[in-house]
């Protein structure tokens, strides 16, 4: 089912003078139109139209792409490998409901569509996101990775208890020879209850030597498999937060020095990020900890390398960002959001430790911030509150928001999440809405991992230049280092410092869709649907 391949150069051919197919790529001109708003002295909002013109160049040869997973022996890691192999080899299996075929359901790129335009009859033509631009097919990823647990992947997959036995059984011969590369283990960063897994370690305490080894692993993987690009992705245990200490991890130079002197606040995930940056491999953090300390972001900027994070947005948070947006956009005022989870996989075990839970709590907490801040009709702004109290107030009014996570081994990978939304209605009325969400955690996270890797690889092949109104366009250059276009898949999206985080799932999807269209030189048609509004 997944064997469909887009033709070289992509399925879509845009017929326009400003979209040209040359030099192994698609060169497209795009004008970004916006509006600049100034509040005048008389209280009026003065709006001026703005526009900036860009050219995007997307290299169409996808080449061979590798995916290196940190934590490959975990539930997500083994499910990613199993899904890739089952799809690649067309392995179907029997369940009590009958025969099941492998697929990529849950993948934004492979299983969702966007409207490209309308046909002659005025009907929308919807295409899978994977057909918008040339992207690597997830069957084609060459996958490898590290784990602090030495279990070969057949046994690690069985330990995870995620997939049906009849599928596991058929995958064992493919997976028994895949052994995780030894990894970095600094016990202080993950829960103490993980110690008995840690039997596959790069020896010694020297962090510089660890960095060199990871760099060598990436290089060797690339050479051995003749890869054009390698995406590195952290799907290992959630770490505690690293303390941000001036002189230690605040600048690129200080961070590199702290690795040289093996400073205790440099986490394993930051070493992996630094190694990837130095090797020119995009690095994505699928866990909530602050891997990207300021020095790490600065290093990525300096090297023009790509990073993305943090924390896969698989279940509860995804739903929450939709429900909260629905309420606030409907003009209803959430007063509190109370979230409770229990799960029984190894992730849950690790999160049962306070400092690791704290990382998750922070990441889950910010998810409604932008929607609340966008509606000063419902929520008082910091300026309103300052006026009321006469004291400077930093943050505006916000619904109460609490997150609880409990470890219940019996339920395994099947996570339960309960969310209560308590809102204010017209004339002081109240509304309570409860959502009970039960899902296989790793079956939600796995398609996100493919999406993140596919899009990260694509974005390394896109370059741009601005075309000034009067004057010469400069040289093409890569996109900015922090790939905020990956936000749809991430709970606490990392964005360019100084720019606002977008948490709204709908806006995140729109942002990505519009970007992909811009790379083809296409305007976003949106939902104006003028044909249906006019005579
Ligand atoms: P898991 O505990 O099954 O797998 C993590 C793996 O990482 C384990 O095999 C462990 O041995 C390994 N590991 C720990 N430290 C390591 C290191 N320094 N180097 C290499 N390997 C190391 O967890 P799972 O369920 O696969 O989740 C992975 C991560 O993804 C967790 O941090 C989790 O919070 C995050 N995540 C998962 C979501 C989901 O829906 N499954 C959603 C959001 C985030």
């Amino acid at each position: 089912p997944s064997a469909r391949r887009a033709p070289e150069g992509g399925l879509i051919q845009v017929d326009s003078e400003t979209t040209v197919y040359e030099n192994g790529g698609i060169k497209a001109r795009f004008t970004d139109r916006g509006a600049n708003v100034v509040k005048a002295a008389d209280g009026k909002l003065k709006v001026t139209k703005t526009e900036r013109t860009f050219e995007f160049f997307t290299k169409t040869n996808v080449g061979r792409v590798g995916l290196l997973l940190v934590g490959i022996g975990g539930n997500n890691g083994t499910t990613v490998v199993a899904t890739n192999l089952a799809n690649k080899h067309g392995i179907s299996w029997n369940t009590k409901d009958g025969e099941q075929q492998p697929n990529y359901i849950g993948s934004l790129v492979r299983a969702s569509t966007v409207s490209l335009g309308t046909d002659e009859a005025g009907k929308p033509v919807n295409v899978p996101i994977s057909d918008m631009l040339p992207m690597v097919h997830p069957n084609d990823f060459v996958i490898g990775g590290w784990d602090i647990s030495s279990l070969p992947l057949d046994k690690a997959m069985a330990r995870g208890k995620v997939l049906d036995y009849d599928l596991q059984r058929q995958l064992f011969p493919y997976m028994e020879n895949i052994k995780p590369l030894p990894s970095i283990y600094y016990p202080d960063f993950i829960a103490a209850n993980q110690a008995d897994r840690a039997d596959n370690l790069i020896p010694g305490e020297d962090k510089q030597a660890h960095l060199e080894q990871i760099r060598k692993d990436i290089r060797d993987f690339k050479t051995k498999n003749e890869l054009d690009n390698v995406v590195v992705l952290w799907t290992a245990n959630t770490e505690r937060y690293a303390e941000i200490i001036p002189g230690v991890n605040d600048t690129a130079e200080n961070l590199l020095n702290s690795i040289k002197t093996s400073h205790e606040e440099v986490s394993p995930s930051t070493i992996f990020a630094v190694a990837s940056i130095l090797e020119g491999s995009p690095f994505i953090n699928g866990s909530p900890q602050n891997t990207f300390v300021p020095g790490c972001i600065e290093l990525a900027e300096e090297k023009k390398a790509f990073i993305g994070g943090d924390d896969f947005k698989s279940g509860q948070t995804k739903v929450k960002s939709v429900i909260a947006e629905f309420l606030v956009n409907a003009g209803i005022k959430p007063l509190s959001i109370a979230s409770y989870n229990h799960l029984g996989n190894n992730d849950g075990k690790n999160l049962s430790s306070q400092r690791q839970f704290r990382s998750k709590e922070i990441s889950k907490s910010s998810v409604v911030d932008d929607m609340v801040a966008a509606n000063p009709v419902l929520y008082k702004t910091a300026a309103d509150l300052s006026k009321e109290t006469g004291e400077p107030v930093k943050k505006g009014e916000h619904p109460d928001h609490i997150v609880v996570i409990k470890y219940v081994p019996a339920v395994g990978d099947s996570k339960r999440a309960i969310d209560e939304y308590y809102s204010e209605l017209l004339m002081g009325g109240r509304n309570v809405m409860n959502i009970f969400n039960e899902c296989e955690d790793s079956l939600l996270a796995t398609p996100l991992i493919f999406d993140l890797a596919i899009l990260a690889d694509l974005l390394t092949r896109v370059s741009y230049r601005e075309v000034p109104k009067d004057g010469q366009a400069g040289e093409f250059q890569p996109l900015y280092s922090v790939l905020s276009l990956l936000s749809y898949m991430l709970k606490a999206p990392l964005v360019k410092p100084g720019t606002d985080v977008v948490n709204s799932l709908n806006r995140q999807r729109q942002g990505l869709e519009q970007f992909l269209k811009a790379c083809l030189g296409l305007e976003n048609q949106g939902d104006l649907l003028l044909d249906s509004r006019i005579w």
Side-chain angles (χ1 to χ4, degrees):
S2 47
R4 196 166 138 232
R5 291 278 194 286
E8 179 70 22
L11 181 76
I12 295 163
Q13 183 88 24
V14 178
D15 188 12
S16 156
E17 269 175 23
T18 53
T19 301
V20 289
Y21 296 78
E22 61 176 31
N23 303 327
I26 306 168
K27 193 166 93 181
R29 188 171 280 226
F30 177 80
T31 301
D32 188 22
R33 298 197 165 81
N36 190 25
V37 186
V38 180
K39 194 167 185 175
D42 60 3
K44 281 202 174 144
L45 299 176
K46 288 213 154 185
V47 184
T48 342
K49 293 206 262 182
T50 60
E51 59 172 57
R52 284 170 81 184
T53 298
F54 295 90
E55 265 175 5
F56 291 105
F57 183 81
T58 309
K59 224 173 104 199
T60 44
N61 179 17
V62 176
R64 280 171 62 80
V65 186
L67 173 58
L68 278 170
L69 302 171
V70 195
I72 192 170
N75 284 20
N76 288 347
T78 53
T79 310
V80 167
V81 174
T83 302
N84 163 271
L85 288 169
N87 275 290
K88 183 158 39 195
H89 299 290
I91 300 173
S92 59
W93 64 101
N94 289 314
T95 73
K96 62 184 177 188
D97 296 319
E99 197 187 52
Q100 175 68 47
Q101 302 288 336
N103 59 38
Y104 285 105
I105 285 193
S107 156
L108 184 79
V109 171
R110 299 290 319 171
S112 86
T113 62
V114 298
S115 165
L116 188 62
T118 46
D119 65 11
E120 281 148 2
K123 298 286 173 216
V125 176
N126 296 304
V127 296
I129 293 188
S130 53
D131 282 346
M132 291 293 288
L133 289 168
M135 300 184 203
V136 59
H137 191 292
N139 286 3
D140 297 338
F141 276 120
V142 180
I143 306 179
W146 303 263
D147 204 293
I148 55 172
S149 158
S150 64
L151 228 51
L153 291 201
D154 58 336
K155 298 207 165 58
M157 168 175 63
R159 172 179 64 187
K161 299 185 191 164
V162 176
L163 297 165
D164 282 334
Y165 178 70
D166 192 40
L167 173 60
Q168 289 194 31
R169 182 182 63 75
Q170 297 181 70
L171 287 170
F172 285 152
Y174 295 97
M175 290 172 71
E176 66 190 2
N177 293 324
I178 312 180
K179 301 207 168 60
L181 292 164
S183 194
I184 311 171
Y185 177 52
Y186 307 146
D188 183 44
F189 278 90
I190 60 174
N193 62 29
Q194 298 295 311
D196 55 355
R197 270 173 103 100
D199 64 354
N200 190 37
L201 312 180
I202 302 172
E205 315 254 298
D206 179 350
K207 295 195 176 184
Q208 181 66 30
H210 293 165
L211 174 70
E212 303 294 346
Q213 181 61 47
I214 301 302
R215 291 188 62 176
K216 181 170 180 306
D217 290 343
I218 299 172
R219 273 199 307 273
D220 289 351
F221 184 72
K222 199 167 176 180
T223 318
K224 193 174 132 221
N225 296 292
E226 299 175 347
L227 302 171
D228 298 287
N229 193 13
V230 179
V231 177
V232 182
L233 186 144
W234 178 275
T235 179
N237 287 7
T238 296
E239 296 174 335
R240 70 165 173 83
Y241 257 52
E243 216 182 305
I244 308 298
I245 309 171
V248 172
N249 46 19
D250 54 342
T251 67
E253 195 187 345
N254 290 342
L255 178 61
L256 291 175
N257 274 331
S258 300
I259 294 174
K260 277 200 190 106
T261 57
S262 298
H263 192 284
E264 59 182 18
E265 273 311 299
V266 182
S267 66
S269 64
T270 299
I271 304 251
F272 274 95
V274 169
S276 308
I277 291 167
L278 295 176
E279 290 304 319
S281 279
F283 180 86
I284 294 155
N285 177 29
S287 300
Q289 72 277 341
N290 63 343
T291 301
F292 301 118
V293 293
C296 190
I297 299 178
E298 190 180 287
L299 185 69
E301 287 173 341
E302 279 176 19
K303 302 287 173 195
K304 294 230 182 303
F306 295 104
I307 56 175
D310 296 314
D311 204 7
F312 306 127
K313 180 164 56 191
S314 52
Q316 186 182 42
T317 307
K318 208 173 218 159
V319 175
K320 191 181 287 180
S321 66
V322 172
I323 302 274
E325 185 182 35
F326 144 60
L327 290 167
V328 175
N329 279 357
I332 293 173
K333 182 180 182 182
L335 299 169
S336 66
I337 303 173
S339 295
Y340 161 88
N341 304 251
H342 68 259
L343 72 169
N345 56 18
N346 189 55
D347 181 28
K349 186 175 175 192
N350 183 59
L351 294 176
S352 66
S353 158
Q354 179 52 31
R355 289 193 301 172
Q356 285 66 31
F357 164 71
R358 181 69 190 131
S359 297
K360 203 55 142 187
E361 188 182 37
I362 295 172
S363 147
K364 278 179 171 269
S365 294
S366 58
V367 34
V368 298
D369 287 0
D370 60 335
M371 302 151 212
V372 168
N375 193 330
V377 182
L378 293 178
Y379 296 99
K380 289 178 188 160
T381 63
D384 292 338
L385 293 172
S386 295
K387 256 186 241 154
E388 271 176 30
T389 60
E391 302 279 320
V393 177
K394 269 205 182 130
K395 271 190 93 176
E397 192 189 358
H398 200 277
D400 295 339
H401 188 186
I402 189 176
V403 178
V404 178
I405 302 177
K406 292 291 170 196
Y407 175 49
V408 179
V411 303
D413 201 56
S414 177
K415 185 161 80 181
R416 273 77 162 160
I418 302 168
D419 294 81
E420 181 191 89
Y421 301 82
Y422 177 53
S423 308
E424 181 177 344
L425 302 177
L426 184 80
M427 308 299 258
R430 292 290 184 268
N431 167 249
V432 181
M433 192 161 47
N434 279 292
I435 306 258
F436 183 86
N437 185 339
E438 186 185 328
C439 56
E440 292 267 11
D441 228 8
S442 306
L443 299 183
L444 288 179
T446 292
L448 302 191
I449 292 177
F450 284 117
D451 286 342
L452 286 162
I454 293 167
L455 292 172
D457 170 66
L458 167 71
L459 296 174
T460 64
R461 286 184 282 113
V462 176
S463 51
Y464 78 98
R465 61 180 179 187
E466 186 158 4
V467 186
K469 275 226 165 59
D470 24 61
Q472 262 322 92
E475 293 290 309
F476 279 96
Q477 56 169 325
L479 296 171
Y480 175 68
S481 292
V482 177
L483 298 174
S484 55
L485 280 165
L486 305 177
S487 297
Y488 185 92
M489 275 74 69
L490 298 160
K491 262 205 276 287
L494 189 71
V495 299
K496 189 177 185 175
T499 63
D500 291 338
V501 176
V502 173
N503 289 302
S504 150
L505 197 68
N506 190 36
R507 289 184 58 207
Q508 290 169 340
R509 196 181 192 285
Q510 285 294 325
L512 182 63
E513 184 179 329
Q514 287 171 24
F515 183 82
L516 297 176
K517 285 187 175 167
C519 290
L520 289 165
L522 298 176
E523 300 284 334
N524 188 49
Q525 289 189 314
D527 289 308
L528 192 55
L529 304 178
L530 266 185
D531 267 354
S532 66
R533 328 275 187 211
I534 57 176
W535 293 106

